[in-house]
Amino acid sequence: MNNSKPKTPAAFYTFLAQSFRYPERTWLIGPYFDLLENISQNLDLNKDALGLRQSYCASEEGLEELQIEYTRMFINAIPAVVAPPYSSIYLDKEGNLYGRSAVWAKQFYQLHGFDLAGEEDLPDHLVLELDFLGLLLEEGQEDAAEQFLSEHFRRWFPSFKERVLNGSTNKFYSTLLTLVDFFTREEP
Amino acid sequence: MAFQMTRRSFLQASASAALTTALSGWLSSGAQAQSGFVKKPFTAPGSFGDTTTVSGGVCEMCFWRCQLVGKLRDGKLVKLEGNPKSVDNGASICARGNAGVKLLYDPDRLKFPLKNVGKRGAPVWKRISWDEALDECASRLQGVIKKNGPQGIAIFPHGASATYPMHFFEHVVGTPNNSEASFFQCRGPRDMAYIHTFGVEASESVDMPNAKAILLVGTHIGENIHVSHVKQYLKGLENGAKLVVVDPRFSSSAAKADIWVQIKPGTDTAFLLAIMNYLVKKGGYDKAYVKENGEGFDQFVKAIAHAELDWAAKICDVPAAQIKEVADLLAKNAPHVSIHPGRHVTWYGTDFQRERALACLTGLLGTIGAKGGFVKAKGPKLGKVAWPHVGTEHAEEFALHKMAEKHIFSPPGTPTQMLRDAAISGKPYPIKACITWGQNPIQTIPGQQETIKMLQQMDFVMVVDVMPTDITMYADILLPELSYLERYDIVKTGVQWNFNDKHQQYIAPRMPLVSAVSADHQRKDSVWITNELAKRLGHAKEIQVPTAEAMVEKILAGANLSLAQIRKEDGIHLQPGSDPYGAVYPVKFFNEDLAEAGYSGAPNYTPVPDPPKGFARLVYGRVPVHTFNRTMNNAWLNAEIPENPIWLNQDTAQKLGLKNGDRISLVNQDGVVSANAGILKVTQGIRKDTIFTAHGYGTKNPAMTNAVNKGFDEQSLITNAAVDPETGAHGMRTSFVRIMKGGKVLNIPA
């Protein structure tokens, strides 16, 4: 899929998905922080968000620090990754990758007209699930988005969030987890 | 952290100027990664929701030619089904028909013209262009024609697509040396015997759905699957027909039989003669029909008078009472009796006479034209495409059997044995070029070493095929042909499968279901290849049709139809048919022509050699999921039955310490050992003097990656084939075998 411009509110989910990709200068740039700050202001999260541009946009050391933290939390670490960003780890008994919940997610994508771009991609990565929510909303499939959240995403995201917050003091990710929570939590 | 704000109110508020600006700023920054998704409409697994149906397919996984439709998704064939409009196979196709998808996309298929830069039998292939391939074929064929005459070319064709080139070489180039496996290693004796008894071909023209009794001699419907034929057979049984099966083996048909005659192999004609003699003496035959339409009946009666029940019982190793029981059952249900002519009948080199006996029994019971009897369908008329017969006279002059005054009742072409002998000896003339087209003579013709000798002495060998079968290893030039799913070729015609239903005729041309063109291959159809050869051989002016499509158009035009019309009619044109019952054919019980040529004018029984001590006779048949070696590499079919079963009598197995599932080899009377093992099936359902296996396994070409080294080629064990004197067809149930296990040879106890 080309980078067609998502509509509001789909764009917020695309934005969140982007935020959990590997930190790189290609996207950690001014307009990204403009939007992050604006959303945060609207949610009264100013005090956390405002320092982020300073830490991670202005300095290269800051970026490297973020990359190291991302790797430690989500990719590879000794003795263990803090919080693998996959649903299978939290939902499936074995706690392995590509468990039943991942298969469920993949089938859900297919049922709603989407397939993973790469055949071998793990279907249940946080980035993909947020990206998918954006695509659904883009198409006006609000009911499907709600179903995906209630039957799948909300069942694992809180455990994931908890492990990140317990295992890291990084402000960038704690802020973004708060935003993800806001955009995905159950509302009356 | 808890928010007071809800998502809903946030999203409403997000219309605020600052946020809108930030959002569009971010969106236009281009800093977003590619989405991890692609859009793809949902297709439930196994569903055909987003496929398009293409009609006009005619199957060639065997040669019954069921009518097909294909389900395509993005140009890819995903499933084959029977054409629901078909009045023949209907919506049904068999396992092989289904597996056509896997033939189409078999990665082992031939793709480009190839030149053998190695040796015959041990090829090293080089891809060449069509121009280079055709130029070389033409110049080397021309070389042989110049040096040896057109008769110096031999052709081994098989299948619908081979008819066009076969007739080109016979009628235009002018060689008589055409050996069709479908005649000389299959149906030839049947077709000729019926023609010389009734004046018409037998085909499988028995009205089984409406029969009160069915006689199958060696025919094992159910293991041999032709969809509408199986439907006819099963409808007959469903309607209460009594079934008599004569077979040394408890075949799938024997399993449904009311009477199973477990006959000693090679003695069927004695059995049939005794039945006829008994019926004649008892007066249990159709006197009126015989009187009006019989020829030479008295001579016939005299000639078979010796065939008493006891005489046959001894020869056939079955009780006289059982022969009588069969005779009475047939007489009681006459004329509504289907005496099945069989299909693959090249068994013992005495097959013309057995087929004559079957035809005479058919006439004797007055079943011709009767409900349930021998009834030929009245099919539609078509146009014709024929090469001009500019070389036919030359061909006839050099026909080997005519020169030698042998095999006077040969089917069209030249008897294979004579052709091969002539090629090897160079007498009466040299045969120096060989063309095989869709046939695999290594596995179809008995006496492999002689066949290889024949090939090795050729100046040029050209092979056209779809798959890399054994014969392709012997090609100098190997040409890739389009499969039946990618080309136009024959126009299949017929009538509704059950004469009891509304009379309908159908016309169904074979049309491509998928594109013939693709970047990964350069396959061509036989009309194109032949025409290109014809142009290079100086026969451009004899070409009657420019393309296969034009050929089909011309054939259809004879029925006032066109491909466009057929497409509109979903691949099959239906028109009113007519009642086929009531036909009358003369029955030559005694055939003067045969007698004059020095053969027996009345059907006669000639004993065949018994197995030597310690050996059993090797007989072969089919398994329902394979068509000879043609389907062995098919991934689905190979997965079903990858190796040939070897049936062995239970008592014998016990004495030899063998058990079900053992892997065993066979060794024949000449010491030839099967190259691979088969899987032993221990059963009470086979005679002790007989071992059965399935034909077509054991390809030696490593390019057939699924099939190579699986099962064994039983043809390699047939080194002592007989030749039918009347027709020149081979008899191939002539080999005797012992068992080899763990390097030890085991004698078969008596």
Side-chain angles (χ1 to χ4, degrees), chain A residues 5 18 113 115 139 187, chain B residues 7 27 33-34 38-40:
Chain A
K5 307 288 182 201
Q18 182 63 54
D115 212 346
E139 291 201 336
E187 289 194 338
Chain B
R7 243 181 355 257
L27 288 173
Q34 190 92 359
V38 287
K39 253 193 103 60
K40 197 177 153 209

Side-chain angles (χ1 to χ4, degrees), chain A residues 59-148:
Chain A
S59 87
E60 289 312 301
E61 293 78 24
L63 175 66
E64 193 180 36
E65 180 207 317
L66 197 60
Q67 288 172 333
I68 292 166
E69 186 62 358
Y70 185 95
T71 306
R72 186 182 77 86
M73 282 195 298
F74 303 136
I75 303 177
N76 275 125
I78 294 169
V81 174
V82 174
Y86 302 94
S87 73
S88 293
I89 301 293
Y90 307 91
L91 290 181
D92 300 317
K93 262 191 222 142
E94 302 84 2
N96 286 333
L97 291 176
Y98 222 138
R100 291 168 74 101
S101 68
V103 174
W104 184 92
K106 183 169 173 143
Q107 281 171 356
F108 194 89
Y109 300 154
Q110 289 172 337
L111 271 168
H112 293 85
F114 293 96
D115 212 346
L116 298 170
E119 257 177 54
E120 307 302 325
D121 293 350
L122 295 183
D124 57 340
H125 193 284
L126 176 65
V127 168
L128 287 173
E129 297 197 351
L130 292 169
D131 193 8
F132 174 66
L133 285 166
L135 291 167
L136 282 182
L137 294 175
E138 175 84 14
E139 291 201 336
Q141 298 197 53
E142 274 108 15
D143 290 348
E146 181 49 37
Q147 190 192 348
F148 186 74

Side-chain angles (χ1 to χ4, degrees), chain A residues 1 3 5 8-9 15 18 21 27 38 45 109-110 113-115 117 128 131 139 178 182-185 187, chain B residues 1 3 5-7 10-11 18-19 22-23 26-27 29 31-40 42:
Chain A
M1 250 172 123
N3 282 327
K5 307 288 182 201
T8 330
F15 174 78
Q18 182 63 54
R21 293 181 198 274
W27 61 271
N38 252 291
L45 285 169
Y109 300 154
Q110 289 172 337
F114 293 96
D115 212 346
L128 287 173
D131 193 8
E139 291 201 336
T178 306
F182 173 73
F183 278 99
T184 60
R185 67 186 179 177
E187 289 194 338
Chain B
M1 202 169 314
F3 298 105
M5 189 176 244
T6 64
R7 243 181 355 257
F10 170 83
L11 291 172
L19 188 57
L23 191 60
W26 178 67
L27 288 173
S29 74
Q32 299 84 30
Q34 190 92 359
S35 166
F37 290 89
V38 287
K39 253 193 103 60
K40 197 177 153 209
F42 175 67

Side-chain angles (χ1 to χ4, degrees), chain B residues 155-180 183 384-392 395 412-413 435 437 490 526 530-531 534 539 542 544 551 555:
Chain B
I155 177 164
F156 294 85
H158 193 209
S161 74
T163 307
Y164 186 81
M166 173 181 91
H167 285 155
F168 169 70
F169 284 102
E170 261 191 315
H171 299 310
V172 179
V173 175
T175 178
N177 290 313
N178 161 32
S179 167
E180 286 186 83
F183 285 142
K384 242 182 122 172
V385 170
W387 290 94
H389 286 210
V390 295
T392 313
I435 299 164
W437 206 301
I490 48 138
S526 68
T530 309
N531 285 352
H539 291 297
E542 277 86 14
Q544 303 293 303
M551 177 179 77
I555 293 169

Side-chain angles (χ1 to χ4, degrees), chain B residues 682-715:
Chain B
V682 173
T683 171
Q684 285 179 303
I686 191 161
R687 290 173 56 95
K688 290 179 186 169
D689 56 6
T690 308
I691 287 178
F692 170 85
T693 194
H695 168 67
Y697 286 87
T699 181
K700 292 187 185 66
N701 193 341
M704 301 264 269
T705 56
N706 290 327
V708 70
N709 293 331
K710 285 189 191 158
F712 68 95
D713 176 11
E714 100 293 352
Q715 193 65 270

Side-chain angles (χ1 to χ4, degrees), chain B residues 78-99:
Chain B
V78 293
K79 189 167 187 280
L80 291 163
E81 292 176 358
N83 188 328
K85 202 181 166 187
S86 168
V87 294
D88 175 50
N89 56 294
S92 311
I93 50 173
C94 72
R96 295 165 300 167
N98 271 283

